[in-house]
Amino acid sequence: MLDRDALLLAYRTMRRIRDFEERVNTEFVAGHVPGFVHLYSGEEAIAVGVCMHLDAAGCDPKGMMLEILGKAEGLCAGKGGSMHIADLQRGMLGANAIVGSSPPLVIGAALTAKTLKSDRVAVAFTGDGGSNQGTIFEAMNMAVVLQLPAIFVIENNGYGEGTAAEYAVGAKDAARRAAGFGMPAVKVDGRDFFPVYEAMADAVTRARAGGGPSFIEARCARIHGHYCGDPQTYRSKEELTQAREVHDPIVGFRRRVLASGELTASELDSIDRLSAEEMDAAVTAAHAGTAPPLEALYTDVYATY
Ligand SMILES: Cc1ncc(C[n+]2csc(CCOP(=O)(O)OP(=O)(O)O)c2C)c(N)n1
Ligand SMILES: [Mg+2]
């Protein structure tokens, strides 16, 4: 049972993610974002249900907004953008444009944790499209063989870009496929914070107790397309309306905690207000940021060993 503080934190974090993403959308449409963006709206319950169990997660929204707008004050000095954003201080090893590349990276982190006996747990987020990559199969096998504290989270939103998972995932069932590698694998409703939080609690406890890796498949729905501007001709209007109006994880969370009387509407409304202010300030800061100087073009790009 989650206490009030935990429920408030879950709501606040989901709301901040949504507001951040929607501001990024507006900035992209206005032409302020160099490069491309892919929005997370609709999948917040997964990130929050998972990351509330981790000590180090959570990047600074202002630093991220500066980064996405390509400014020198950004999290990666304006050189990473949305697709290569990273925050190693916080244990965030990086977004990656190479689909399916996070599981092998996470195996390295999990091996480090096991070797150093640091009690840390490594989590890889992959999409349903990414779940078909050979990289994740190798990573899952290695995690089982070495009994690593690694958790594979598959965010199954039904599409890899515009290709239906129904068509492209040969086994039809990513969790059953993962179980074949020899690890506990569960399927949860990723539009609902609570089952994600519970599945992750089990997985983290097992990882810390030396019980090896776990797999969580969270079914969810994208509120936007694969990328900003995706016309989504591969989805019916009805499916999109359902995702936006019926299955929104933040609306569902709100309804539930209000019905149970655990939180009040005014508490949630004030979180909404603070989050909007925080994201407005992040956008203002990002507009005021400076472009990286020309001399920076060749730094932080290659490492020589
Ligand atoms: C190794 C590799 N192959 C192909 C691509 C092109 N690509 C970009 S996103 C994507 C689909 C990813 O699907 P999913 O993981 O379900 O993400 P979603 O579309 O739901 O955001 C593909 C094939 C890529 N970026 N990297
Ligand atoms: Mg997908």
Side-chain angles (χ1 to χ4, degrees):
M1 180 82 178
L2 286 156
D3 63 19
R4 275 176 40 80
D5 284 347
L7 292 174
L8 286 167
L9 178 63
Y11 183 79
R12 184 182 312 118
T13 315
M14 287 196 287
R15 173 59 69 202
R16 290 170 76 214
I17 296 173
R18 174 69 56 87
D19 284 351
F20 184 88
E21 296 297 293
E22 295 302 322
R23 296 299 191 286
V24 169
N25 190 21
T26 311
E27 291 305 297
F28 181 83
V29 171
H32 298 150
V33 178
F36 235 28
V37 290
H38 307 76
L39 303 172
Y40 194 64
S41 300
E43 306 186 10
E44 295 88 348
I46 306 172
V48 178
V50 167
C51 293
M52 267 178 65
H53 293 282
L54 307 176
D55 299 330
C59 302
D60 168 42
K62 183 154 60 110
M64 289 196 293
M65 195 62 82
L66 279 153
E67 183 59 36
I68 289 171
L69 267 65
K71 300 301 172 74
E73 299 82 1
L75 218 48
C76 305
K79 297 177 180 181
S82 74
M83 279 192 271
H84 300 98
I85 199 163
D87 191 350
L88 302 188
Q89 303 297 327
R90 289 183 180 253
M92 201 286 252
L93 300 181
N96 207 307
I98 311 290
V99 167
S101 59
S102 96
L105 291 174
V106 156
I107 289 308
L111 183 58
T112 304
K114 181 167 180 170
T115 306
L116 299 178
K117 300 186 172 42
S118 68
D119 211 31
R120 296 178 88 177
V121 172
V123 183
F125 289 88
T126 312
D128 49 284
S131 80
N132 291 327
Q133 294 292 91
T135 44
I136 189 169
F137 300 144
E138 294 178 39
M140 289 196 292
N141 184 61
M142 195 165 176
V144 171
V145 171
L146 300 179
Q147 286 293 286
L148 299 179
I151 298 168
F152 301 93
V153 177
I154 296 295
E155 300 180 302
N156 184 354
N157 56 22
Y159 299 96
E161 289 192 316
T163 305
E166 197 43 41
Y167 165 78
V169 179
K172 301 291 170 226
D173 187 331
R176 218 156 56 89
R177 185 166 67 186
F181 281 85
M183 74 182 93
V186 295
K187 251 188 297 223
V188 294
D189 183 349
R191 299 165 306 187
D192 184 353
F193 162 81
F194 294 94
V196 179
Y197 183 86
E198 281 157 29
M200 184 64 181
D202 289 346
V204 168
T205 305
R206 183 159 42 245
R208 293 224 160 99
S214 306
F215 183 99
I216 300 170
E217 178 183 356
R219 298 294 306 229
C220 55
R222 295 192 298 227
I223 282 180
H224 296 284
H226 168 76
Y227 61 92
C228 230
D230 180 353
Q232 300 198 72
T233 46
Y234 50 87
R235 289 176 92 182
S236 70
K237 280 214 163 56
E238 196 204 334
E239 185 188 312
L240 256 176
T241 309
Q242 287 266 325
R244 290 179 177 153
E245 292 172 17
V246 182
H247 296 302
D248 184 323
I250 301 179
V251 175
F253 183 95
R254 206 183 152 100
R255 202 184 301 125
R256 173 165 166 171
V257 295
L258 290 180
S260 67
E262 287 162 288
L263 301 178
T264 66
S266 73
E267 283 174 313
L268 300 177
D269 292 346
S270 89
I271 286 175
D272 291 353
R273 257 191 320 276
L274 288 172
S275 168
E277 283 168 24
E278 180 187 14
M279 299 312 156
D280 287 345
V283 171
T284 304
H287 284 179
T290 50
L294 208 53
E295 313 82 83
L297 200 58
Y298 296 108
T299 58
D300 306 320
V301 181
Y302 297 106
T304 47
Y305 297 100

